[in-house]
Each structure stands twice: as C-alpha cells, then as structure tokens.
Amino acid sequence: MSTHIDTYAERLDTAALKAEATAQISLENQLSIDEAYQIQKASIDRRIERGESLTGYKLGFTSRAKMEQMGLDEIIFGRLTDQMDIKKGPLELSNRIHPRVEPELAFRIKKDIDKVLDPADAPEYIDAVCIALEVIDSRFENFKFDLADVIADNCSSSAYLLGPWLDPKTDIRNKQISYSLNGENLHTGSTDAILGNPYDALIEVSKMSIKYDAAIKAGHIILAGAATAASYVSSGDHLKVSFSELGDLSLDIK
Ligand code: OOG
Ligand code: MG
C-alpha cells in the first residue's frame, strides 16, 4: 500500500482518537475517489487492529436536505464499528470535536450481499428495520470538506443509536419525521426524503459494496442516510426525533 494512503489514514484516525480537528487533505493533495476510499479502509483497519469490529456500513448524501446542507451531491458510503454504537446514550462530548446529530433509518441484513441488488430482490435481504440517529463528527476543521476529504474521513461517522428492531415488513415509506432539540422543533421531513424511497438505500449500498470490494454480510447494519439536515449539539441538550407510527428516539448530550 502506498505511503500517502497510510499517512492520511493515520492522520484521520489520530484526529478522531484525540478529538482534535485536522486540516482538509484537499488543501494539500487532490485525492481521487479511489484513493479516498483506500484511506477510509486503512483508517478503519487501524480501529479493527485495536479490537473494534465492523458492524456494517452507512450511506451519506441520500437526501436533498443533506446534499444542500453540505454542498455535495454524490452518494458516499462509510464503515461502522461496534464502538460507534452508543446504545441508549448519553452522547459523550469529551471524545468528539463538533458533533452533529441526524435522523436515519437502519436495515439489518439477512444474508450476504454478493451482487448489485435490484428493487425486487431487496426484501429477501432485510432481516429487520429500525429508526436510528447518527452522530457525525467531521475530523476536518470547521466541518468543511470536499468529496474526497469526507470519504477519506469515513463520511464523518462517529456514533449511531438504533431503535428497537422491527419486523422487516413494517411500512417505513413516507413517515413524517420531526426533530426537536430542547423542545424546539428544528427540522421536519419524511422517510421518503431518503432517495425518494428508503429501500433504494440497499440498492445503492450493494453497488458500493461491489465497486469498492466492501463485503456486506448477514447481520450487518446499513444506515440509509439522514432524512433531514443535521444539527450541532452541546452539553446538556436533550434531543428527540419522532418518526410517526414508527416511534421516537431521544438522546441526552453529556
Ligand atoms: C457527511 C456524512 C453524511 C448522511 O446521512 O447524509 C451522512 C457529513 O454530512 O458530514 O451521514
Ligand atoms: Mg448520516
């Protein structure tokens, strides 16, 4: 593996470990998208060498709200580890830089995905679905990045919180989402804001998996991407997201 891949992987991994922002890589080096995914993989491999295990993958920029908020419009994918699962919370701020929280849906995968799925195949691969929150925490200064930067930085992944797993046949289409912080409504949206149909997240992640040789296995979790913009959180905040009949998720910020 070439050294600049390892050097940047170490730089991003260290920034996450120390909760200290680093300069955008794009200010000094225009990485290709392939190189950015190699850096992502190498930085997650460092976590795996420290004892974490891969729990699945996430998609990013699957809704217009997110594309507009971050100024990027290509779908990206990142890797999730067991250490990112914060169960019920609270969210610790001390080991993060400038976290933001966003509402998501998650799928649990029933059998290994070894091809690009089409919409008709998707149900066979879904073991369960749930409502979820994702905590993103760019390792770059001022939460600013270009496409290659954010991919190298594992798509800003920091933590996730999953609701109870629901029957895979649960209707997750077109459910109203309302996101409030300390009792004040910040964002509203719909589960269909994710790609126009959240099941399409499985199609997209299967394409990424084949293209970048990132095996999706039975039991893996897939985060479909945020349905609304993300919001910064600070110590003492109480966040609540309701997903209509699918339920509510709350998170305290410590
Ligand atoms: C990149 C990650 C995007 C999503 O759900 O769209 C993402 C970022 O916004 O920092 O996780
Ligand atoms: Mg997300």
Side-chain angles (χ1 to χ4, degrees):
M1 189 183 285
S2 69
T3 51
H4 78 289
I5 301 288
D6 286 335
T7 306
Y8 289 131
E10 183 184 1
R11 176 160 135 195
L12 289 165
D13 182 44
T14 305
L17 269 177
K18 294 193 170 164
E20 276 172 20
T22 185
Q24 285 175 249
I25 298 170
S26 55
L27 300 177
E28 63 193 66
N29 195 339
Q30 261 318 314
L31 299 168
S32 69
I33 299 305
D34 273 347
E35 287 173 305
Y37 277 114
Q38 286 172 42
I39 294 168
Q40 176 190 127
K41 176 160 190 310
S43 82
I44 299 305
D45 283 348
R46 295 171 63 89
R47 295 174 69 133
I48 289 171
E49 278 156 28
R50 288 197 296 270
E52 294 179 38
S53 56
L54 188 76
T55 51
Y57 299 90
K58 62 168 274 186
L59 289 172
F61 307 139
T62 51
S63 68
R64 187 132 304 280
K66 280 292 299 186
M67 292 179 201
E68 282 171 7
Q69 183 175 37
M70 304 319 292
L72 292 171
D73 61 6
E74 271 188 56
I75 298 175
I76 56 177
F77 87 103
R79 292 163 161 90
L80 303 174
T81 75
D82 57 342
Q83 203 242 307
M84 299 177 190
D85 182 353
I86 52 167
K87 314 284 179 199
K88 289 182 183 324
L91 178 71
E92 288 280 348
L93 290 187
S94 58
N95 53 357
R96 285 171 235 280
I97 304 166
H98 39 206
R100 287 171 148 170
V101 184
E102 53 191 25
E104 305 237 357
L105 289 174
F107 297 98
R108 192 171 68 205
I109 299 299
K110 192 169 186 174
K111 59 180 187 180
D112 298 1
I113 299 181
D114 51 11
K115 59 172 186 179
V116 173
L117 302 184
D118 65 40
D121 311 311
E124 262 180 74
Y125 289 84
I126 304 173
D127 189 35
V129 296
C130 73
I131 56 176
L133 299 177
E134 191 191 14
V135 180
I136 51 174
D137 189 27
S138 176
R139 268 55 68 170
F140 297 117
E141 286 159 0
N142 306 315
F143 223 112
K144 283 221 174 89
F145 42 71
D146 75 1
L147 186 65
D149 285 326
V150 68
I151 291 169
D153 184 28
N154 196 31
C155 307
S156 310
S157 309
S158 180
Y160 61 85
L161 181 152
L162 303 176
W165 287 110
L166 305 170
D167 186 285
K169 293 199 176 65
T170 306
D171 180 12
I172 56 169
R173 294 291 311 272
N174 202 17
K175 301 295 175 216
Q176 189 66 28
I177 296 173
S178 82
Y179 176 153
S180 64
L181 196 61
N182 307 322
E184 187 195 340
N185 189 262
L186 292 186
H187 308 289
T188 49
S190 159
T191 54
D192 275 10
I194 304 165
L195 296 166
N197 174 352
Y199 291 105
D200 283 356
L202 289 176
I203 315 303
E204 293 302 327
V205 81
S206 71
K207 287 184 196 159
M208 298 289 202
S209 147
I210 303 295
K211 185 162 178 196
Y212 295 103
D213 196 21
I216 304 174
K217 302 280 189 196
H220 274 168
I221 293 156
I222 306 294
L223 284 178
T228 73
S231 283
Y232 284 116
V233 289
S234 20
S235 179
D237 281 350
H238 176 74
L239 184 153
K240 182 173 174 193
V241 182
S242 61
F243 295 75
S244 308
E245 325 72 284
L246 298 176
D248 295 346
L249 286 175
S250 293
L251 180 63
D252 287 317
I253 315 298
K254 206 167 151 189

